[in-house]
């Protein structure tokens, strides 16, 4: 099942609905809690809805807490005779996850609810006009860091993994089969799971539509966004580029990096190299 | 058959929760309401209830979890106070806007800064315009009894409800409470048939739409209509409850008001003190009375007008402020009573109020001593 196109107002080239579709198709009964953000606003304009599954939007930072209540309600109803096997999924952007929703997410992961948290990470507050979030990369111009961000991005995937939950993965739309496999696994494990998905934003990454595919390919080939999973504490790298491309190639096709300095590119490269080395050691 | 137990406001709430047996309770510790989730966790461990407790990491998440659970069509409850309620603020409007009934106990406590754990009504009064039904209880017995009426009312009009009790004064003071037997309560609260249910896979719903100027307005109008309905339905429900309790709980409680020249209007535990003073002054032939505002949202203006129609003077005792304007309860009374009226603010941050203070309020009315400004009892 896909989100109903006639009720969907996402930008041309937006991959968020595709990620949602992959989730919806991965189980029979899926219920979603969506955080305020692009996907929510673009899919739930009253009196219509694009969602073919039961969906709730409460606020910005509380989607993980909302689903906690839903999952516990389900556990109680199950004891009282409810038949359906229900899967619980959160869709939230990086703003709703790395920033305002981090506490609610951490609480829900620690409590061990049986749910999947899908992060649609496009590196900023795109729904409000492309402001900086703690997922915005170093050197990226946003509407609140016009000269370029001076801090590295937060490593949410590692933060999630530090909760010692059964499944954490990083993926992107670069490899849909890999993404599908990870979402399915996340839905199947018992306990909390988080899949952090890099979702290219044509609007605020300032990428030519023709380069949309290339940009996620480069995110993978530069190891800016490595594809890996941590299953019950075991790390597995899912994609190893034949040749690790310099991060400059990823940076130069995106208008958001127009103000990045040579030093910052080097800083990005050093960070990527260190992260990649860490990941290989973990595996 | 009477079943009298020693209880404080919190254990009365826990006993009510045991009998209601909601599917989901989500709460976060905060003085002076912590005894409610603690007490519930105990009866849960003892296997006396069938629900679950979510020990969340914040009040924001407590109420969010309640919203999630209520959206799945189950009964849900929480308890908080002060900063906890302030932290929930964003979600208060979500719960009422989504028209999700739920029960929230408040142990009324002052708001920071400066930090203070004692009683006043700044917390729930600050939340009075968030679309929740609000009840203020005088004692543990009221907390227990109103739990059932409030819950049923919430479910009938599809609005969430706050049952407020004075921090420490009511939350922590033990007093005799008459508990009704489980069967009577089960019969009164019945089972909850929610029309909103995220687990209906045949008709999947989207809850929490994004509403443009062409539709948002009507949502808010609907909430106000529900409040109007709540005024009517409350009277019906409290009458129904009186059949198992032999006692009525009108939206505004009149104590020797009909023949009174001077009336003090207040709420919560302070009404007990005022009634005591009324009895003493009546012995001296002083015609005074007390009007207790039990239901604050929706506000029963008509009942207040009727109750005060013979009063020569009225004093309203608020336990909170509305900085830059007149206090919340005074503003409501002033809105419908056009005679001599005086605003008093008392008890902020748990400051005690004494018999002599109440007597002085009555004496000033007798002397026609009124001021347009707030007077402070401190």
């Amino acid at each position: 099942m896909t989100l109903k196109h006639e009720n969907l107002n996402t930008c041309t080239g937006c991959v968020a609905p595709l990620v949602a579709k992959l989730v919806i198709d991965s189980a029979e009964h899926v219920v979603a809690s969506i955080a305020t953000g692009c996907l929510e606003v673009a899919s739930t304009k009253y009196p219509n809805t694009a969602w073919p599954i039961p969906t709730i939007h409460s606020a910005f930072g509380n989607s993980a807490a909302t689903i906690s209540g839903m999952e516990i309600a389900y556990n109680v109803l199950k004891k009282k005779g409810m038949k359906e096997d229900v899967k619980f999924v959160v869709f939230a952007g990086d703003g709703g996850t790395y920033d305002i929703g981090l506490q609610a997410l951490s609480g829900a992961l620690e409590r061990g609810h049986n749910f999947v948290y899908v992060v649609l990470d496009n590196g900023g507050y795109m729904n409000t006009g492309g402001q900086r979030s703690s997922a915005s990369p170093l050197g990226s111009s946003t509407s609140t860091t016009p000269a370029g961000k001076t801090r590295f991005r937060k490593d949410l995937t590692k933060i999630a993994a530090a909760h010692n939950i059964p499944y954490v993965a990083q993926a992107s739309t670069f490899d849909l089969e890999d993404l599908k496999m990870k979402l399915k696994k996340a839905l199947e494990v018992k306990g909390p799971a988080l899949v952090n998905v890099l979702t290219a934003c044509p609007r605020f990454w300032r990428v030519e539509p023709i380069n949309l595919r290339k940009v996620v390919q480069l995110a993978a080939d530069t190891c800016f966004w490595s594809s890996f999973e941590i299953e019950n504490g075991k790390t597995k790298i899912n994609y190893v580029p034949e040749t690790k491309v310099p991060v400059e190639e990823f940076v130069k096709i995106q208008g958001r990096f127009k103000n990045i300095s040579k030093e910052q590119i080097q800083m990005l490269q050093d960070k990527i190299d260190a992260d990649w080395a860490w990941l290989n050691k973990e595996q | 058959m009477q079943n009298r137990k020693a209880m404080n406001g919190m254990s009365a709430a826990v006993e009510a929760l045991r009998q209601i047996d909601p599917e989901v309770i989500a709460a976060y510790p905060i003085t002076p309401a912590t005894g409610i989730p603690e007490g519930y966790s105990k009866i849960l461990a003892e296997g006396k209830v069938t629900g679950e407790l979510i020990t969340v990491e914040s009040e924001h998440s407590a109420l969010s979890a309640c919203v999630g659970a209520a959206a799945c069509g189950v009964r849900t409850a929480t308890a908080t106070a002060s900063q906890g309620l302030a932290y929930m603020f964003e979600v208060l409007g979500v719960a009422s806007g989504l028209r999700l009934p739920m029960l929230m106990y408040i142990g009324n406590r002052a708001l920071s800064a400066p930090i203070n754990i004692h009683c006043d009504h700044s917390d729930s009064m600050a939340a009075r315009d968030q679309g929740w039904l609000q009840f203020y209880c005088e004692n543990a017995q009221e907390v227990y009894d109103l739990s059932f009426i409030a819950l049923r009312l919430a479910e009938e009009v599809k609005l969430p409800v706050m049952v407020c009790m004075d921090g420490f004064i009511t939350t922590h003071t033990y007093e005799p409470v008459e508990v009704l037997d489980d069967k009577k309560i089960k019969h009164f609260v019945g089972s909850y048939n929610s029309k909103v249910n995220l687990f209906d896979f045949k008709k999947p719903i989207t809850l929490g739409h994004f509403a443009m100027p062409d539709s948002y307005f009507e949502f808010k109008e609907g909430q106000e209509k529900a409040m109007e309905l709540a005024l009517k339905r409350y009277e019906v429900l409290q009458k129904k409850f009186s059949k198992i309790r032999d006692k009525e709980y009108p939206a505004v409680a009149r104590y020797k008001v009909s023949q009174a020249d001077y009336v003090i209007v207040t709420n919560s535990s302070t009404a007990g003190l005022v009634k005591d003073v009324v009895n003493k002054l009546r012995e001296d032939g002083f015609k005074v009375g007390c009007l207790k505002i039990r239901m604050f949202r929706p506000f029963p203006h008509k009942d207040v007008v009727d109750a005060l129609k013979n009063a020569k003077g009225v004093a309203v005792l608020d336990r909170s402020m509305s900085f830059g304007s007149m206090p919340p309860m005074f503003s409501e009374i002033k809105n419908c009573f056009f005679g001599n009226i005086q605003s008093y603010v008392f008890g902020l941050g748990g400051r005690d109020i004494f018999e002599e203070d109440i007597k002085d309020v009555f004496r000033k009315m007798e002397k026609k001593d009124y001021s347009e400004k707030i007077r402070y009892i401190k």
Side-chain angles (χ1 to χ4, degrees):
Chain A
M1 282 188 288
T2 52
L3 296 184
K4 290 173 209 147
H5 290 286
E6 64 274 26
N7 296 331
L8 197 59
N9 301 302
T10 42
C11 303
T12 307
C14 178
V15 292
L18 171 64
V19 179
K21 177 198 154 50
L22 295 179
V23 172
I24 294 166
D25 286 345
S26 298
E28 195 185 348
H29 297 304
V30 181
V31 183
S33 159
I34 48 176
T36 310
C38 287
L39 182 61
E40 172 260 328
V41 167
S43 64
T44 65
K45 188 181 162 196
Y46 186 81
N48 301 315
T49 179
W51 293 86
I53 57 166
T55 303
I56 182 169
H57 162 251
S58 171
F60 200 175
N62 67 353
S63 47
T66 308
I67 210 144
S68 302
M70 293 155 67
E71 193 250 358
I72 295 298
Y74 168 71
N75 290 350
V76 175
L77 292 175
K78 199 84 177 162
K79 275 191 270 176
K80 293 182 178 176
M82 184 173 162
K83 295 277 185 293
E84 291 95 337
D85 189 23
V86 181
K87 301 290 183 190
F88 294 87
V89 178
V90 170
F91 291 104
D94 50 280
T97 306
Y98 289 65
D99 291 347
I100 198 168
L102 188 62
Q103 176 183 304
L105 169 63
S106 175
L109 296 181
E110 184 272 334
R111 289 190 299 272
H113 297 285
N114 195 12
F115 77 114
V116 179
Y117 194 104
V118 179
V119 191
L120 304 162
D121 182 345
N122 55 20
Y125 290 88
M126 306 327 191
N127 185 45
T128 44
Q131 293 81 18
R132 162 215 207 273
S133 81
S134 58
S136 306
L138 176 80
S140 62
S141 293
T142 70
S143 62
T144 47
T145 58
K149 197 184 165 199
T150 56
R151 305 287 302 167
F152 283 112
R153 54 194 311 285
K154 194 187 276 182
D155 197 338
L156 191 269
T157 314
K158 269 193 207 166
I159 293 171
H163 288 78
N164 299 314
I165 55 173
Y167 191 73
V168 180
Q170 206 166 270
S172 85
T173 49
F174 159 62
D175 183 348
L176 289 183
E177 285 310 311
D178 175 73
L179 174 59
K180 232 162 55 182
M181 177 275 286
K182 284 170 177 166
L183 292 170
K184 213 167 167 59
K185 245 188 204 179
L187 283 161
E188 277 162 10
V189 297
K190 212 169 155 33
L194 180 137
V195 184
N196 197 357
V197 188
L198 183 77
T199 48
C201 173
R203 174 79 178 83
F204 287 106
W205 286 16
R206 315 275 176 200
V207 177
E208 292 301 321
I210 198 160
N211 282 336
L212 272 174
R213 171 76 200 157
K214 196 174 168 192
V215 80
V216 282
Q217 167 104 43
L218 281 169
D221 284 340
T222 58
C223 298
F224 170 84
W225 192 263
S226 12
S227 173
F228 65 96
E229 54 189 340
I230 306 169
E231 209 175 342
N232 296 315
K234 276 192 180 164
T235 306
K236 187 183 168 192
I237 298 172
N238 306 97
Y239 177 75
V240 181
E242 276 176 32
T243 10
K244 200 155 147 277
V245 177
V247 75
E248 194 170 359
E249 299 300 314
F250 171 69
V251 160
K252 74 180 185 197
I253 60 163
Q254 300 176 60
R256 64 171 169 163
F257 288 108
K258 65 180 178 200
N259 291 329
I260 196 167
S261 66
K262 279 219 162 79
E263 292 74 24
Q264 283 177 325
I265 292 175
Q266 191 53 51
M267 283 162 78
L268 262 185
Q269 188 63 60
D270 292 347
K271 181 77 169 65
I272 285 169
D273 293 346
D275 286 350
W276 184 242
W278 174 84
L279 203 55
N280 279 277
K281 213 177 88 196
E282 284 294 300
Q283 185 171 235
Chain B
M1 198 187 73
Q2 285 186 352
N3 185 5
R4 198 172 259 227
K5 291 180 180 173
M7 286 184 167
N8 62 25
M10 292 189 293
S11 52
V14 173
E15 177 63 2
L17 287 174
R18 184 189 66 76
Q19 293 180 311
I20 295 165
D21 198 9
E23 276 81 1
V24 177
I25 292 180
Y28 185 79
I30 186 162
T31 304
T34 311
I36 296 172
E38 276 177 349
Y40 181 81
S41 72
K42 190 164 179 283
I43 56 171
L44 184 64
E46 290 165 354
K48 291 178 179 162
V49 283
T50 66
E52 288 283 347
L53 172 67
I54 316 180
T55 48
V56 282
E57 83 299 331
S58 74
E59 289 90 353
H60 193 276
S61 286
L63 195 54
S64 301
C66 288
V67 164
C72 298
V74 303
R75 277 188 170 138
T76 178
T78 185
T80 194
S82 184
Q83 303 306 109
L85 185 62
Y87 200 18
M88 284 180 179
F89 205 89
E90 181 190 25
V91 194
L92 291 175
V94 174
S96 57
L98 294 180
R99 305 293 301 275
L100 298 171
M102 61 186 71
L103 175 60
M104 166 147 56
Y105 291 104
I106 308 282
N108 281 121
R109 168 185 150 184
L111 285 174
S112 289
I115 190 167
N116 175 298
I117 60 165
H118 296 282
C119 177
D120 71 31
H121 299 164
S122 312
D123 49 6
S124 55
M125 282 298 171
R128 67 191 185 274
D129 293 335
Q130 290 309 301
W132 285 59
L133 307 163
Q134 281 193 342
F135 293 92
Y136 289 81
C137 303
E138 184 179 330
N139 49 39
Q141 184 71 59
E142 266 199 56
V143 171
Y144 174 75
D145 289 337
L146 279 183
S147 296
F148 311 113
I149 307 171
L151 175 80
R152 282 302 303 139
L153 181 65
E155 290 173 356
E156 278 199 14
V157 304
K158 301 186 194 74
L159 287 176
V161 62
M162 290 180 199
V163 174
C164 308
M165 62 190 104
D166 281 351
F168 291 107
I169 303 162
T170 306
T171 55
H172 286 64
T173 306
Y174 279 83
E175 47 191 323
V177 173
E178 281 176 23
V179 174
L180 290 163
D181 68 55
D182 291 4
K183 267 191 191 161
K184 280 185 180 167
I185 295 299
K186 288 266 180 276
H187 185 255
F188 181 80
V189 298
S191 57
Y192 173 44
N193 297 309
S194 172
K195 283 193 178 154
V196 171
N197 183 3
L198 286 173
F199 295 146
D200 184 351
F201 294 96
K202 286 194 186 97
K203 267 203 252 163
I205 54 164
T206 290
L207 201 60
H209 277 97
F210 157 58
M212 290 292 280
D214 64 352
S215 61
Y216 180 87
F217 209 136
E218 282 71 19
F219 280 96
K220 299 300 121 181
E221 225 181 330
Q223 285 174 246
E224 184 54 25
K225 275 187 188 146
M227 282 283 178
E228 285 166 21
L229 180 64
L231 266 181
K232 290 182 197 142
R233 292 305 302 167
Y234 176 73
E235 194 46 30
V236 174
L237 283 167
Q238 77 86 6
K239 281 230 158 69
K240 192 178 163 198
F241 190 74
S242 72
K243 285 178 187 151
I244 55 172
R245 167 54 79 210
D246 293 331
K247 189 179 176 186
E248 290 216 15
Y249 282 107
V252 292
R254 307 173 189 205
Y255 190 77
K256 301 186 179 174
V257 164
S258 59
Q259 303 300 318
D261 290 334
Y262 307 108
V263 177
I264 286 182
V265 182
T266 193
N267 62 359
S268 300
S269 68
T270 310
L273 174 66
V274 175
K275 285 187 270 186
D276 194 41
V277 173
V278 164
N279 287 342
K280 286 178 180 167
L281 292 177
R282 283 266 172 178
E283 280 173 21
D284 302 335
F286 198 21
K287 287 165 78 179
V288 292
C290 173
L291 191 69
K292 181 174 76 170
I293 307 298
R294 184 174 277 129
M295 181 160 78
F296 193 79
R297 282 291 179 269
F299 194 85
H301 288 107
K302 276 187 184 161
D303 292 349
V304 170
V305 170
D306 186 58
L308 297 178
K309 61 179 184 256
N310 298 321
K312 289 180 187 166
V314 167
V316 184
L317 272 57
D318 273 274
R319 204 166 190 158
S320 65
M321 306 278 284
S322 174
F323 300 110
S325 184
M326 298 306 277
M329 198 158 49
F330 175 84
S331 295
E332 297 294 348
I333 308 297
K334 177 86 177 167
N335 194 13
C336 62
F337 176 76
F338 304 108
N340 295 319
I341 186 164
Q342 175 65 50
S343 167
Y344 287 88
V345 167
F346 75 99
L348 298 184
R351 183 80 51 98
D352 280 329
I353 183 166
F354 299 98
E355 207 177 294
E356 206 43 47
D357 300 318
I358 304 296
K359 282 182 179 165
D360 190 51
V361 169
F362 278 125
R363 280 189 211 113
K364 280 204 167 68
M365 281 194 269
E366 197 194 17
K367 286 183 202 153
K368 296 196 169 57
D369 181 0
Y370 296 96
S371 154
E372 284 186 357
K373 288 189 172 170
I374 302 167
R375 282 180 176 151
Y376 300 98
I377 302 172
K378 51 179 189 173

